[in-house]
Amino acid sequence: MGWWRQLFTPAVRVALGLVSLMVTLVLIAEMFTGYPSDRGELVRKHHALVTRTVAQDVARVLSSDASGAAQLPRLLADARAQEPRLLSARVLDNQGQVLGQVGNHQSGWHLETGSSSTLDNIRIPLTVANQRWGEVQFVMQPLYPRTLGGWLHEPLVHWLAFISVVGLLVYSLYLRRVLRHLDPNAAVPERVRTAFDTLTEGVLVLDTVGRVMLANKAFTLVDGEDAKALTGRDATDLRWLVDSLPPEQRNPPPWRQAVQDKAPVLGVPLHVVRPRLPALRLVLNCSPITDNGRVRGCLASFADVTQLQERTEKLRVALEDLGASQKEIERKNEELTLLATRDALTGIFNRRSLMQQAEQRFTEARANGTPLTCIMCDIDHFKSVNDKYGHGGGDQVIQGAARALSRGLRMEDFVGRYGGEEFCVVLPGSTLAQAREVAERLREDIAATLGAALRDHPGVRVTMSFGVSELEAGMADPAALIDLADQALYHSKKNGRNRVTAWRTEDTKTAGAVA
């Protein structure tokens, strides 16, 4: 594209404009003055003369003798040979019978019966012995060509092409000499231009309407066009520049806005996308050039911030990666916390976490004077389950028991696996009677549903035994509370299993057992 831009210098572009104006004036002059002569009228007169002459010859032949009709094909062929614009002709009698024809008449004849003649379809009536005898139809060459090849042979096209080519050469030579005196670059001393080109930022000097007066070397490296070729062009004609502007700042563009407002327009971001070249990030600053308060033009500078943007983007990506890594560490920590506090088989609290939670609730109950109860429970005949259904079946029963105990509790209650098939439930704020009711409900639910945990062995019934204790004065730690519940559980096991036993310190015997 470089040679193309060098070819269309400002002088050539102005010359093309002058040639276009000259051709337009010639065509308008022909329209209004009739010079050169109206080609359509000349052709119309010529067609009329030719067709009348041929029609007269046809009438003379037909009226001469009875064999005149046989001479019509030769007469029409001679007429077509003498007149290049005659494409075809046909002679018809009053009944529409064809007496003679030359050329492919059907393809060129478009007139309906009774319609008037046109420039290229002409019908002339035949009169023999003062009587209407028939008509002669002529298909003439159209006034204007209908193909590209036909237009290329038109004299008018040759004439306009000659004017255009010669005018372009003459105007270009003339304007090249004239523009030497008008070129703004010629008025700039070489030392000033050298200093102008040493600036690392691209710089344009524009007039008040946005035409380029000067462009430094740094700008041409972005634009890809020679500085002299840019001179005189409107900055809005640089499509890459306009397309790089933010949509809200394209109308008017920043350089025109600076001239209109007589104030700088700063920090306009540009994203320049160039074919087969890396994209650029520029910042455009436009400042009006004033002289005694009057705006004379605009100075536009283009700072290349591509590397800064790339570094900023890399930093942003690094920060995102760091944030993602931090979130991943937090997630891993949560997993580790979960693994450290939860039982791997059941997902409920393990014994260590259970004791930590119990210690906290024990301290709160002592400080606030609120009740605290504990339920210890154990799967009945678990060894038989393991022996009969294997360790896999035993694990399924333990998991089913954990699910059943968890769904039967309040939000503030918690359950943990105390060891093996034994579980511990802590109920903050519940009295012994309330805890016993909860234990009884859990026992009934487990007796009805826990056997279903053995999915491959339907119909199996598995039960659990429960022991309940309540926080009392003199207890030193939650272990004492759990121990009493465990003793109550022992009595449930001893008295037949699948029952709830509540422990009272004042009564060393069990308060009662419900089978």
Side-chain angles (χ1 to χ4, degrees), residues 106-404:
Q106 293 296 335
S107 63
W109 183 256
H110 307 296
L111 291 183
E112 300 292 337
T113 303
S115 56
S116 302
S117 299
T118 62
L119 186 62
D120 52 357
N121 277 197
I122 302 172
R123 55 168 27 121
I124 296 181
L126 285 176
T127 303
V128 178
N130 295 326
Q131 291 183 353
R132 174 67 182 264
W133 191 84
E135 69 177 18
V136 185
Q137 298 175 350
F138 299 93
V139 176
M140 309 299 291
Q141 184 176 342
L143 176 62
Y144 295 107
R146 296 177 180 175
T147 63
L148 178 61
W151 276 107
L152 293 178
H153 291 85
E154 277 291 295
L156 177 62
V157 174
H158 296 170
W159 183 52
L160 292 178
F162 175 79
I163 292 178
S164 301
V165 173
V166 175
L168 179 62
L169 293 175
V170 173
Y171 284 142
S172 297
L173 294 174
Y174 175 72
L175 289 173
R176 190 171 298 174
R177 297 179 62 86
V178 171
L179 289 178
R180 289 180 183 175
H181 304 284
L182 301 178
D183 186 4
N185 292 279
V188 179
E190 186 62 29
R191 62 180 181 275
V192 176
R193 170 156 293 283
T194 301
F196 195 52
D197 287 340
T198 58
L199 297 175
T200 57
E201 292 186 356
V203 179
L204 286 181
V205 177
L206 309 171
D207 63 10
T208 54
V209 295
R211 289 190 295 261
V212 178
M213 296 292 100
L214 290 173
N216 73 340
K217 185 177 180 180
F219 182 83
T220 60
L221 293 177
V222 177
D223 180 74
E225 194 165 347
D226 184 75
K228 292 184 178 180
L230 288 170
T231 302
R233 291 183 63 183
D234 194 320
T236 56
D237 291 340
L238 305 176
R239 293 309 312 167
W240 69 265
L241 177 55
V242 176
D243 293 342
S244 302
L245 290 170
E248 66 275 8
Q249 291 187 294
R250 294 181 183 177
N251 191 20
W255 48 91
R256 290 186 181 174
Q257 188 69 44
V259 171
Q260 292 174 9
D261 298 343
K262 298 182 181 180
V265 179
L266 306 176
V268 180
L270 302 180
H271 183 202
V272 183
V273 179
R274 303 176 297 175
R276 297 183 299 277
L277 290 173
L280 293 178
R281 296 282 186 173
L282 307 178
V283 174
L284 170 62
N285 296 313
C286 298
S287 299
I289 302 173
T290 59
D291 181 19
N292 295 325
R294 183 177 178 184
V295 178
R296 298 291 186 178
C298 177
L299 181 69
S301 63
F302 301 80
D304 189 348
V305 294
T306 305
Q307 292 184 354
L308 179 61
Q309 289 280 353
E310 290 177 352
R311 292 171 185 169
T312 303
E313 181 64 19
K314 289 179 180 179
L315 179 59
R316 184 188 64 80
V317 172
L319 290 175
E320 288 182 353
D321 291 343
L322 182 60
S325 299
Q326 185 175 359
K327 290 181 179 179
E328 181 65 17
I329 292 173
E330 292 175 356
R331 189 182 66 82
K332 293 293 186 182
N333 287 336
E334 291 176 357
E335 291 181 359
L336 290 174
T337 302
L338 186 63
L339 291 174
T341 60
R342 299 286 172 169
D343 177 63
L345 179 62
T346 61
I348 61 177
F349 283 132
N350 57 25
R351 181 166 180 168
R352 177 173 174 272
S353 298
L354 174 71
M355 295 306 295
Q356 289 177 346
Q357 294 291 329
E359 183 71 38
Q360 180 179 349
R361 299 299 186 275
F362 183 86
T363 303
E364 292 173 355
R366 276 291 179 82
N368 300 327
T370 55
L372 178 68
T373 51
C374 174
I375 302 175
M376 290 294 290
C377 48
D378 182 88
I379 301 173
D380 295 332
H381 303 295
F382 183 71
K383 185 177 183 304
S384 299
V385 173
N386 261 341
D387 293 341
K388 188 172 183 178
Y389 305 110
H391 290 291
D395 289 345
Q396 292 177 0
V397 171
I398 290 175
Q399 291 171 339
R403 288 194 297 269

Side-chain angles (χ1 to χ4, degrees), residues 431-500:
T431 63
L432 184 65
Q434 292 171 334
R436 184 174 177 178
E437 290 179 1
V438 172
E440 185 63 35
R441 186 174 67 249
L442 292 174
R443 184 196 65 78
E444 293 176 352
D445 180 43
I446 288 172
T449 62
L450 184 55
L454 294 167
R455 296 181 291 274
D456 298 332
H457 305 280
V460 177
R461 186 170 186 267
V462 181
T463 62
M464 292 184 69
S465 298
F466 292 79
V468 184
S469 65
E470 182 179 23
L471 175 62
E472 298 176 355
M475 286 186 177
D477 52 36
L481 177 66
I482 294 174
D483 183 61
L484 292 182
D486 197 41
Q487 292 183 43
L489 171 61
Y490 173 76
H491 282 281
S492 293
K493 289 283 190 179
K494 185 178 179 181
N495 294 329
R497 295 182 174 83
N498 189 25
R499 63 185 61 239
V500 176

Side-chain angles (χ1 to χ4, degrees), residues 26-27 29-40 42 156 159:
V26 168
L27 294 176
E30 179 186 4
M31 183 185 303
F32 286 98
T33 64
Y35 182 82
S37 302
D38 186 354
R39 183 185 178 193
L42 293 177
L156 177 62
W159 183 52

